[in-house]
Amino acid sequence: DEVSKKKGRGLVFDLIATRDINEGEEIFIDYGDEWQASWDMHKETWTPPTSNQFASYAQTDLLNMEDRTTTIRTKKELVSNPYPSNIMTVCIYTYDDDNGEKSDENSTGEVKVDIIGTDEELIELYSESGSHYVSDYPPGHEEYHPCIVYSRQPQYETFTVRIFKDFYDLDSEADDTGTPIILTDYPEISIKFVNRPYMADSFLPQAFRHSIGIPDNIFPSQWKNQK
């Protein structure tokens, strides 16, 4: 009863090998007969969603394996050839922890907001080189931020991009504070496709859900004191 009422991560198991595991050897976990039966039924009866929200669903891992100099679309291209409904792009960027975005202070120290202009004007006024945004190690999730692509330079595998603090700024195409973050010569390798919030496959209609079974015989008899 105590375990069932606990929220979040609770009971955790250590997995201990009872024999040596060879390099490259695959390890299997048996989820139990009930799980397997439910999964088999799910495979037989599941049908792709037909609602407009998920009709054009695409897998991010497959998109990221393709030639992204052509699959990454510019803002203008997305008007006539939009991404699948669950797809958005993110870019590696390091924000100033003290300020969030680049500040654009006037003489009184106030930060100017609601910067308006055409894309070309914003690029002319605020762009800077982003060629150094190449990670020497696998970047963490927190290093990626929503971005849109203004233009591509295919001969150099680079783009001109605009970075946003979060998803909501991306959709409104505005920055809460500070000036637009626009980077030219931005490396293709530092852009990737991800799912939009709450649009991953786990959120698809009729997504598979079933608890993982645990055999009774793995527990010490002293633990099993509930009749």
Side-chain angles (χ1 to χ4, degrees):
D1 291 340
E2 181 182 348
V3 173
S4 66
K5 294 176 182 178
K6 186 175 179 62
K7 301 295 184 181
R9 181 178 296 178
L11 185 63
V12 178
F13 290 94
D14 289 327
L15 301 180
I16 301 173
T18 57
R19 65 169 178 82
D20 291 340
I21 300 173
N22 298 320
E23 183 178 352
E25 186 175 3
E26 188 171 2
I27 300 174
F28 296 91
I29 298 177
D30 186 352
Y31 287 172
D33 293 339
E34 289 186 7
W35 187 97
Q36 188 63 52
S38 180
W39 172 246
D40 291 341
M41 178 63 70
H42 175 77
K43 290 193 297 182
E44 293 177 6
T45 59
W46 185 83
T47 56
T50 57
S51 65
N52 292 335
Q53 184 181 14
F54 292 100
S56 60
Y57 183 89
Q59 290 181 251
T60 56
D61 54 343
L62 296 181
L63 287 174
N64 285 319
M65 288 190 293
E66 295 180 6
D67 178 10
R68 288 180 295 167
T69 56
T70 56
T71 55
I72 295 174
R73 300 168 192 164
T74 67
K75 179 183 174 182
K76 290 181 179 179
E77 291 169 342
L78 288 173
V79 174
S80 58
N81 188 21
Y83 289 135
S85 56
N86 63 303
I87 296 298
M88 61 182 283
T89 49
V90 291
C91 299
I92 294 176
Y93 184 76
T94 303
Y95 273 92
D96 182 345
D97 292 337
D98 295 329
N99 189 37
E101 286 95 0
K102 298 187 303 181
S103 65
D104 185 21
E105 297 182 354
N106 59 23
S107 59
T108 65
E110 297 175 339
V111 178
K112 294 181 290 185
V113 296
D114 297 330
I115 298 171
I116 299 174
T118 66
D119 292 342
E120 291 75 15
E121 290 171 339
L122 294 178
I123 293 171
E124 178 69 24
L125 288 172
Y126 300 108
S127 66
E128 60 184 58
S129 175
S131 60
H132 59 288
Y133 279 102
V134 179
S135 182
D136 295 329
Y137 54 89
H141 172 76
E142 68 281 357
E143 296 181 66
Y144 283 103
H145 297 275
C147 61
I148 58 174
V149 175
Y150 284 135
S151 62
R152 67 169 61 84
Q153 298 79 45
Q155 67 273 32
Y156 304 114
E157 296 184 350
T158 60
F159 296 84
T160 296
V161 301
R162 181 174 176 182
I163 313 287
F164 295 90
K165 185 74 172 179
D166 56 38
F167 170 76
Y168 304 102
D169 286 348
L170 170 70
D171 268 8
S172 61
E173 212 169 310
D175 299 288
D176 286 342
T177 60
T179 62
I181 298 171
I182 300 174
L183 304 175
T184 60
D185 307 314
Y186 191 86
E188 172 268 325
I189 196 173
S190 297
I191 306 174
K192 75 173 184 177
F193 294 106
V194 298
N195 288 299
R196 296 173 70 87
Y198 305 107
M199 293 287 284
D201 55 3
S202 58
F203 293 96
L204 288 172
Q206 301 177 347
F208 180 70
R209 295 283 191 279
H210 197 281
S211 57
I212 298 175
I214 304 174
D216 287 342
N217 59 12
I218 75 168
F219 296 104
S221 58
Q222 296 91 330
W223 290 15
K224 295 182 285 187
N225 58 0
Q226 298 293 321
K227 302 299 183 182

